[in-house]
Amino acid sequence: MSGGLPGFHNAPVSRAVVVAAALFSVPFGFRGRFLDLGLSYQNVYEKLHIWKLITSLFAFSSTPELIFGVALLYYFRVFERQIGSNKYAVFIVFSTTVSVLLQILALGYLKDPSLAPLISGPYGLIFASYVPFFFDIPISTKFCIFGLRLSDKSFIYLAGLQLLFSSGRRSVIPGISGILAGLLYRVNLFGIRRLKVPDFATSLFSRFSWPFANISYQRLPVTRTDENIPYHQARQMEGVPATTPDPVETSISTLVSMGFDRASAIQALALTNNDVNLASNILLEAQST
């Protein structure tokens, strides 16, 4: 894939979801009509407003929710790089579909016509992504702030809590539905994790570069000796002394626990001065090529 923001390199499906959320949120979510965008008992069971299934999936209802939601979608693009766009597209379809079905079932169970419409936006996908985030992303650093023991993952959890409780029950139901959808994908319901979308479908996302078409980004070549690591990462180290500290064993173990082989982990850590987060990004990017 060429073109597009560097942050979305090898993540065309994630980029398409972020752009779609922005395109739906601006005209619909910010014009004082957001209460009509989400699912409600009347819309689903009485008026049969099926079109609101689309708006409820993409349009955030306020600027703060759009900011937090897009930031999380951008962060979770790491899973697309890890499993590939073909499987990640299946994850998106599965998590959003199951989440919407669970929301509809919850509305039918509550049978509360006075309940305001559920919050709109890709809550199903966002909170489904917290399942692999919890199980597959290890903690690399820990620190204390005002006596609280935190880690590098704490801020992602705090952003999720902000979204989950932003509108009370209206946001909790979509959030919990997304987590359940993520768990069902995790346990490989109906063998869903083996499915992939065809290559031609994901290639459409690669061409979906608007509004980033004017920003170019090209991958630099990979050297023979560093086949497992993109050479443009090594170019960033120009001007740095050639001698780098040997990777510490704990950092190597962290990367190995994420599924990378030991040799590639040592190589990535050597290029990044033992920065586990940067090294994991390099390895994930190399893995998806």
Side-chain angles (χ1 to χ4, degrees):
M1 182 188 67
S2 62
L5 288 177
F8 286 111
H9 185 59
N10 286 333
V13 179
S14 299
R15 180 183 60 188
V17 172
V18 170
V19 172
L23 291 178
F24 273 86
S25 298
V26 172
F28 293 112
F30 302 159
R31 299 181 63 178
R33 298 179 295 160
F34 60 86
L35 289 178
D36 296 327
L37 295 179
L39 301 176
S40 66
Y41 182 83
Q42 297 94 325
N43 293 336
V44 175
Y45 290 97
E46 296 178 359
K47 299 179 182 179
L48 300 178
H49 287 171
I50 305 301
W51 63 270
K52 291 191 175 180
L53 291 174
I54 304 299
T55 57
S56 68
L57 289 178
F58 293 103
F60 286 101
S61 60
S62 68
T63 302
E65 290 170 1
L66 175 64
I67 294 173
F68 279 99
V70 166
L72 289 171
L73 290 172
Y74 177 79
Y75 177 85
F76 289 141
R77 78 199 186 285
V78 66
F79 300 125
E80 180 177 357
R81 293 174 173 175
Q82 185 176 25
I83 66 177
S85 298
N86 302 70
K87 285 189 174 183
Y88 189 69
V90 174
F91 173 76
I92 291 177
V93 173
F94 178 84
S95 60
T96 53
T97 301
V98 172
S99 174
V100 167
L101 291 176
L102 291 175
Q103 292 178 53
I104 292 175
L105 291 175
L107 291 171
Y109 175 78
L110 294 175
K111 294 181 179 179
D112 186 3
S114 63
L115 177 65
L118 300 179
I119 203 74
S120 61
Y123 275 62
L125 173 59
I126 291 173
F127 285 96
S129 300
Y130 271 98
V131 175
F133 175 74
F134 176 80
F135 287 104
D136 300 333
I137 303 297
I139 295 174
S140 59
T141 57
K142 294 181 179 180
F143 51 91
C144 289
I145 297 180
F146 300 115
L148 296 176
R149 297 175 60 87
L150 303 175
S151 71
D152 54 325
K153 298 176 65 173
S154 299
F155 298 104
I156 304 299
Y157 286 124
L158 290 174
L161 289 174
Q162 169 65 28
L163 279 181
L164 184 64
F165 297 106
S166 61
S167 300
R169 187 165 55 170
R170 295 176 54 231
S171 56
V172 168
I173 293 176
I176 297 299
S177 298
I179 293 174
L180 292 176
L183 289 172
L184 291 176
Y185 184 87
R186 180 80 183 183
V187 300
N188 199 23
L189 182 68
F190 304 128
I192 188 66
R193 298 179 67 176
R194 296 195 301 268
L195 299 181
K196 298 180 180 180
V197 300
D199 290 335
F200 76 87
T202 54
S203 66
L204 295 178
F205 291 107
S206 299
R207 298 186 181 95
F208 184 46
S209 59
W210 190 90
F212 310 126
N214 295 326
I215 304 176
S216 61
Y217 173 73
Q218 298 292 336
R219 169 184 287 276
L220 295 177
V222 181
T223 64
R224 287 186 178 180
T225 56
D226 294 332
E227 291 179 341
N228 294 324
I229 297 180
Y231 185 59
H232 76 274
Q233 299 288 349
R235 288 287 299 276
Q236 295 175 359
M237 303 300 295
E238 289 183 354
V240 178
T243 58
T244 56
D246 293 333
V248 296
E249 188 62 33
T250 55
S251 299
I252 298 174
S253 300
T254 299
L255 292 176
V256 171
S257 68
M258 297 175 66
F260 304 114
D261 63 88
R262 182 180 178 85
S264 297
I266 294 174
Q267 192 176 20
L269 288 167
L271 281 176
T272 59
N273 288 326
N274 296 333
D275 188 318
V276 175
N277 290 328
L278 182 56
S280 63
N281 287 336
I282 293 175
L283 292 170
L284 287 172
E285 184 176 333
Q287 189 179 64
S288 60
T289 56

